[in-house]
Every structure is written in structure tokens, then in C-alpha cells.
Amino acid sequence: MRIGIYGGTFNPIHRGHLTAARAAMDVLGLDRLLLIPASVPPHKALPQGSAEPADRLEMAALACAQLGPVAQALDIELHRTGPSYTVDTLRQLRMEHPEDELWLLMGTDMFLSLERWYHASDILSLAHIGAFDRAHPQPGEDLAAQKRLLETKYGATVAIIANRQVIDLSSTQVREALAAGRGRDLVTDPVYGYIQRRGLYGVHTDLHHLTPDQLRPIALSYLKPKRMPHVLGTEQEAVRLARQYGADETQARIAALLHDCTKKLDMDRQLALCRQYGIPLDDLEQHALKLLHAKTGAAIARDVFAVDDAVYRAIYWHTTGHANMTKLEKIIYLADYIEPSRDFPGVDDLRRAVHADLDRGLLKALDDSIRDMQQWGNPVHHNTLDARDYLLRGKQI
């Protein structure tokens, strides 16, 4: 396996970093790309107003959505005390990947000063070097000379990576633009949403009065990259159903965008939020992780974004459903179930049923869910049974 290692302060990670990373993936044929934020960079002090290490890690993780599933952000340097020396990171990664080919990626300035790095000779023995080149189409002579020197003196393997989509941009420029009320286009949408939500780099956003378009990047910032297409697809389907069945489109968009905002949290954090917001849990919910994110997500939506009660309830009930659901609750439950990225046996039949008749489609969705849960040997929540039985009693259809 060929693994790229791209470290930096990522304060914040921006589109210049990502075009370079993409170039390395393409030129070197990387199987994995590791983005590694430094906790305490040894070569420069972080300026006042910088994001905390945990924030820079989270932004790097969100930026991975732009690079695909081969990219991953690692906290390997955030757990150490003292400066984040590259050689220590490479030693740890070499132990974890003894048979893999490691490529340390770096910009032009770093590459030209590599011999002065802490334990430079060890670095060159632990990993190959991939240096980004700003010049096109031929590498600059200074890079070529440095490549020859490292290969001759240290026996290093060095590749000069042409970045044909280069965006010549520094994190300093990004921070300055953000502080001045600009710069949204310099970072990805989820990263910008995270900056807004956390109030980083002098960005101040009123989270209580957001349109769906303003909310979207912030909602994405709560998610793992692999879940982002699902949430965007749920919004798309919720709009379609709201228009077809006469529900409030803005409410549908907001509920869809926030319905999974706590999905990635583990059991301990879910239960902590339930305690914080006074959310009652029955015996099944106290042990079933997948049932909690709807309740905690609704609480976050109301607390952080001041959503109205209809949106709160649509998020709260989107996993189990309940008897006598409102139209918006039905739409979010079903949009989550049949959004375009869903691909399971019978989904097309369910989509046709939903778009033919909302309540009959809901009954089919509930029946399918109950049947699947029973086949898997999983307990079915009583609210799901109640929702199905209410429809069967003919009060809705």
C-alpha cells in the first residue's frame, strides 16, 4: 500500500492544501492519504487567534469529503507534549505500517529546507519525499537541485509533484480574509460551516436566523464525510415531498439538514446530551445507540439553531415514527428512508408507493422496517409499532 502523509498546522485547511493533496494522490497513485495537523509546530509559533488543535483536526476531517474515502485525518500529533516533530510521527507510522510505502508530502519551502529539519537523515530513511512544485510545466531548478542532493547524499527517493491546479494560498491569507468577512470560497463548505459554528478566526454568525442555504454548510460540519451525501439527499427528497403534498418547504429543508447532526456521536456522548437536555429514555433507548441521535439531534436543533416546534418534532421522530404523525414528520421520516443515495432491495418500490400516496407509502415503510428488524433479530421500538398500527386502524388511510 502506498500511503501519503501530509502534515501542517492546517490553520485552517484550505483549497490550496486540497489541490496539492489531490495532485499527490494522482501523481503518486496513493492508496491512502493521511492529513495530520500539528499540535505544536516546531518551525513557527501559531499566531494569536489560531484555532485549537482539536478544531484544526476536525476541519481537516471535514475537508476529507473533498478528497474521497482514501483521505483520513489523524490525531497522532495531538496526543504528544512538546513540538510535533515529523520524525516522531514517521517512526510511529512506520511501526504501524511496516510493509507499506510511506510518502511524506511537503511544499516547496519546506522541501528546500529539509536538511535542517530535526533528524533529517532519519526522516529520509523512513519515508520517500513528495515535494509540491508551483512551477509549470518543468520543475524549478532549485527543486531539481535539491532532489539530486537528497538522492545522492542520503539515498532518498524524491518525487517532484506538479500541481497543475495549484492555488497559491496561505492559511494567513485565509484567516485575514475570514476576519474581514470574506474568504468563504477559500475553504470547503463544511469547513466554513465549522468555522461559523465555532466562531473561529473572527467569524460571527447568528445561528438563530438562518435560511436553509445559510444553514447547509453548518449542518454539514456536524457530519462525517461519508454521511454528507445522505443528508443532502434527504434535503432533496424532503423538498420534493413537501412540494407534492403541500408541506412547508423551508421547514422540510431545515429538518432534513439537521436530522443527523448528532449521528456520529458515541453512546457516552449521546447519553450525556440526553442528561443535559432532560430527554427521557425507555429501557430500549438506554441501550440502542441508533435510537438516540434523533432525540439529541432535535435538542441541538432547538438549542443551537432555535428551530420551531414542528421542525423539532420532525427530527425527534424521524427514526422511530409514532402514532398520528404530522405531515412534516411523515415527510422527514420518509425522506430519510428513500433519499437518492439509498440503495437496498425494494427501495424503488417504496419510492413509487410514497409518491403515489404519502400515508400508504408511510405504512409500507413502517412495515418494511418492522419486518427487517425482526428478521435481523433486533427489537422493534413500540413507537414504530404504534405508528404502523395507527395507520392500519384506518385513521389516516
Side-chain angles (χ1 to χ4, degrees):
M1 183 180 294
R2 187 170 289 186
I3 301 174
I5 302 159
Y6 192 6
T9 56
F10 298 135
N11 186 32
I13 192 166
H14 53 68
R15 293 192 183 277
H17 294 127
L18 299 181
T19 58
R22 173 61 65 185
M25 292 166 64
D26 294 342
V27 171
L28 300 176
L30 299 178
D31 301 294
R32 289 184 67 192
L33 174 68
L34 306 179
L35 299 175
I36 304 179
S39 178
V40 182
H43 57 284
K44 61 180 179 181
L46 290 172
Q48 186 175 5
S50 292
E52 293 296 323
D55 289 322
R56 292 186 282 110
L57 173 68
E58 187 66 21
M59 288 186 284
L62 291 167
C64 288
Q66 194 79 9
L67 300 172
V70 303
Q72 176 186 4
L74 290 189
D75 61 356
I76 186 172
E77 294 189 359
L78 273 55
H79 297 297
R80 300 196 198 114
T81 58
S84 300
Y85 287 117
T86 297
V87 69
D88 295 328
T89 298
L90 289 178
R91 285 169 178 157
Q92 182 173 340
L93 290 174
R94 176 51 68 200
M95 291 179 63
E96 295 174 3
H97 304 277
E99 305 299 325
D100 294 322
E101 189 175 296
L102 304 183
W103 281 86
L104 178 63
L105 310 176
M106 62 186 67
T108 299
D109 295 340
M110 292 295 186
F111 178 61
L112 295 177
S113 66
L114 181 54
E115 277 194 291
R116 298 192 296 274
W117 287 23
Y118 181 69
H119 287 200
S121 61
D122 290 341
I123 290 173
L124 294 167
S125 69
L126 289 164
H128 303 328
I129 304 299
F132 300 117
D133 180 25
R134 296 191 182 102
H136 304 295
Q138 298 297 323
E141 180 53 36
D142 50 353
L143 270 71
Q146 177 75 338
K147 179 179 186 294
R148 289 192 299 269
L149 172 65
L150 297 179
E151 290 174 339
T152 301
K153 185 175 179 179
Y154 298 97
T157 299
V158 178
I160 305 299
I161 301 169
N163 181 5
R164 304 193 182 283
Q165 303 298 322
V166 64
I167 299 176
D168 197 1
L169 182 66
S170 71
S171 291
T172 299
Q173 292 172 311
V174 175
R175 292 193 301 273
E176 290 173 349
L178 291 169
R182 299 177 284 102
R184 174 173 180 166
D185 60 327
L186 304 180
V187 296
T188 66
D189 281 353
V191 170
Y192 184 69
Y194 187 86
I195 290 169
Q196 288 181 287
R197 176 158 64 89
R198 297 285 292 168
L200 303 177
Y201 310 120
V203 175
H204 302 288
T205 302
D206 180 2
L207 300 180
H208 283 190
H209 300 90
L210 298 174
T211 66
D213 288 342
Q214 292 168 332
L215 174 63
R216 191 175 299 108
I218 301 173
L220 293 177
S221 76
Y222 282 94
L223 307 173
K224 292 181 178 179
K226 66 180 180 181
R227 183 152 294 273
M228 294 177 188
H230 164 69
V231 167
L232 294 174
T234 301
E235 181 195 11
Q236 177 183 337
E237 182 62 28
V239 169
R240 185 181 297 118
L241 292 174
R243 290 173 178 172
Q244 180 176 352
Y245 291 110
D248 187 294
E249 182 177 327
T250 297
Q251 290 180 328
R253 284 184 182 274
I254 292 172
L257 286 168
L258 292 174
H259 81 282
D260 274 353
C261 67
T262 61
K263 180 75 171 181
K264 73 177 183 180
L265 302 183
D266 61 21
M267 192 68 174
D268 288 343
R269 295 174 72 188
Q270 293 283 3
L271 291 174
L273 284 176
C274 289
R275 291 190 295 270
Q276 177 182 340
Y277 289 107
I279 299 171
L281 301 176
D282 59 30
D283 289 342
L284 177 55
E285 290 164 341
Q286 290 175 20
H287 300 93
L289 176 61
K290 70 175 298 181
L291 296 180
L292 298 183
H293 77 280
K295 298 173 181 293
T296 58
I300 292 295
R302 183 159 61 186
D303 183 25
V304 176
F305 300 100
V307 302
D308 61 32
D309 287 345
V311 170
Y312 172 86
R313 290 194 300 269
I315 298 171
Y316 190 94
W317 293 112
H318 86 266
T319 298
T320 63
H322 70 105
N324 195 19
M325 296 167 71
T326 68
K327 186 180 292 184
L328 182 62
E329 290 165 5
K330 296 171 186 177
I331 284 171
I332 298 305
Y333 181 94
L334 290 167
D336 177 47
Y337 209 142
I338 65 172
E339 56 87 8
S341 73
R342 294 290 199 192
D343 183 17
F344 56 85
V347 68
D348 289 333
D349 289 340
L350 180 56
R351 287 176 179 134
R352 284 190 287 270
V354 170
H355 284 282
D357 184 282
L358 185 66
D359 290 329
R360 292 186 184 277
L362 177 61
L363 178 58
K364 177 173 174 53
L366 291 164
D367 269 336
D368 290 351
S369 179
I370 291 167
R371 183 190 65 248
D372 290 344
M373 295 288 284
Q374 291 172 338
Q375 287 179 348
W376 298 334
N378 295 327
V380 180
H381 195 274
H382 68 85
N383 280 322
T384 304
L385 297 171
D386 290 346
R388 189 268 313 268
D389 293 345
Y390 184 88
L391 291 170
L392 285 174
R393 287 195 297 268
K395 296 191 177 186
Q396 295 281 329
I397 60 176

